[in-house]
Amino acid sequence: MSADDEGGTRVVQLPSGDRLLPPVPGTARAPLGQPAPPAAHPPVQGVAVVVGSRPVSAYTELTIEAPDIADTAAPGQFVAFAVGGPTSAMLLRRSIAIAGVGQGRFSVVVSARAEGSSWLASRRPGDEVDVVGPLGRPFPLPPEGTPALLVGGGYGAAALVGLGGLLRSRGHEVAAVVGAGDAARLCSVEDLAAVAAPFVVTTDDGSAGRAGRVTGPVTELVSGAGVVYACGPMPMLAAVARLATDRGVPSWVAVEESMACGVGVCMTCVLPVVGADGHSRFARSCTDGPVFAGDRVRFADVGTLPPDLVGADAMALAHTPAEEGETP
C-alpha cells in the first residue's frame, strides 16, 4: 500500500493496483461494530514453570510451560499472574497479554513498573508461577482475503504478534505500524516485521524509524485496509479507532485497563461502551473485552460517569450525600 496526494486529496494505492479515495464527507457510515464473541474455551488456573526469560528492549519476555493455557489461547487474550510469592501481601493479580504460543508454552512481555510487575519480570527458568488463563475475548478474524492493518504501541505490540502470524497463514495481506516514545520502548519489531509489509516504526523522539506518532503512517495506510487491529496506550487506541471509523474501516482495540481480578468480579476495569442495542453501559475490560470494536468505546468518557449510561442515575444517586435526617 502506498499513498500520494492528488489535487489535495489523499489517494491510497493498493498492491492490486486499485486506488481508494477517502469517504465523501456527510455520507452514511457503516453500522457500529458488533461485540467480540466470547472465547471458545474456559480459563484454567494452575502452577506453571518458567522455561525462558530474556530482555526485549526495556521489557522482559517470559516463556511459560502451560499446555492447558497455550493450547487453547487465541490472539487478544491474556493471563493473570499471582505475584510476590505465597506469603506476599500483594493480593491482586497482574494481567498481561499473551504474546505467542507454541508447543505447550506461551510467552508474555512484562514491563517492570511497580513492585508486582518487577517481581514477575525477575522470574527465571525453573521458577514456578500461579497463573490463570486464557482470559478475555480474542480478536475476531476478518472475512477471507481482507487486508489487515496492525497498530502497536510500546509493549502492547507484543499482543499483535500471534495475530499477525495467524492472519498471514490464512492468506491475508498484513501491514503494521509500531510506535513508542523512544527506541528503548519499542517492542516486537522483528517479529512483526517478519509478517507485515509494509511495516513502519515510529518514535516520538525520532531515535528509531520515523519521528512522530503512529497516527502519521496509520493515516496513510488505513484506507487500504479492510480491518484495523490495535493494542497500546488508551490515547493511541482512541486516535487509531477514530481514524479507522472516519474512513469507514472496522477496527478492534485491545484495551490496557488495569484488571485487578481478571474474571469480572471487582469492576475496577470498566469502560463506557455502546452496546448492541445502542445504549451505553459500563463494560468490564476483562470479560466483555479486552477486545472491543473501536467505534463502540467512548474513549473521551473513560474515567467519568456519563449521564446517559444505563443506570447512571442510580449510580449518581448512590454517590450523592444524604440530606440531614435522611437515611443514607
Side-chain angles (χ1 to χ4, degrees):
M1 290 179 276
S2 62
D4 52 46
D5 290 318
E6 189 173 274
T9 301
R10 177 67 70 180
V11 180
V12 174
Q13 185 82 33
L14 299 178
S16 63
D18 295 331
R19 310 180 82 205
L20 292 182
L21 293 171
V24 177
T27 56
R29 290 180 176 174
L32 292 175
Q34 293 300 305
H41 302 278
V44 296
Q45 178 182 357
V47 176
V49 178
V50 177
V51 295
S53 173
R54 68 184 182 104
V56 179
S57 299
Y59 316 109
T60 300
E61 181 185 78
L62 297 178
T63 302
I64 314 293
E65 183 89 36
D68 288 347
I69 295 176
D71 294 347
T72 60
Q77 291 188 282
F78 66 96
V79 290
F81 293 94
V83 295
T87 61
S88 173
M90 293 185 286
L91 300 179
L92 302 179
R93 291 179 176 265
R94 300 302 187 269
S95 297
I96 303 178
I98 297 172
V101 297
Q103 300 180 328
R105 301 174 175 181
F106 70 87
S107 60
V108 294
V109 174
V110 184
S111 176
R113 294 184 292 184
E115 187 177 359
S117 55
S118 296
W119 179 91
L120 186 59
S122 69
R123 298 306 88 194
R124 295 294 177 262
D127 289 343
E128 293 184 338
V129 287
D130 185 308
V131 60
V132 181
L135 294 164
R137 302 186 180 211
F139 288 114
L141 298 181
E144 182 178 352
T146 303
L149 173 61
L150 313 185
V151 187
Y155 65 95
L160 302 173
V161 172
L163 175 65
L166 180 59
L167 291 172
R168 281 293 299 271
S169 71
R170 295 184 172 220
H172 296 271
E173 292 182 8
V174 178
V177 181
V178 173
D182 53 48
R185 287 182 283 173
L186 289 168
C187 185
S188 303
V189 171
E190 294 181 359
D191 293 329
L192 285 171
V195 299
F199 175 71
V200 183
V201 172
T202 71
T203 50
D204 295 353
D205 65 358
S207 55
R210 288 172 50 170
R213 307 205 169 179
V214 297
T215 47
V218 169
T219 300
E220 299 166 7
L221 297 172
V222 65
S223 292
V227 63
V228 175
Y229 297 96
C231 183
M234 294 294 277
M236 187 207 84
L237 297 182
V240 171
R242 182 171 61 252
L243 287 170
T245 300
D246 287 347
R247 287 292 186 268
V249 179
S251 65
W252 296 100
V253 297
V255 299
E256 287 192 340
E257 287 295 282
S258 296
M259 304 176 195
C261 73
V263 294
V265 175
C266 69
M267 302 296 288
T268 60
C269 63
V270 294
L271 296 169
V273 175
V274 182
D277 59 359
H279 297 294
S280 297
R281 297 174 178 82
F282 275 135
R284 296 166 294 181
S285 299
C286 59
T287 54
D288 301 315
V291 174
F292 293 97
D295 56 357
R296 287 192 176 271
V297 180
R298 294 174 50 167
F299 288 103
D301 296 319
V302 172
T304 70
L305 177 59
D308 62 323
L309 253 65
V310 173
D313 52 350
M315 286 185 280
L317 181 62
H319 289 83
T320 301
E323 297 290 337
E324 184 176 354
E326 292 183 342
T327 300

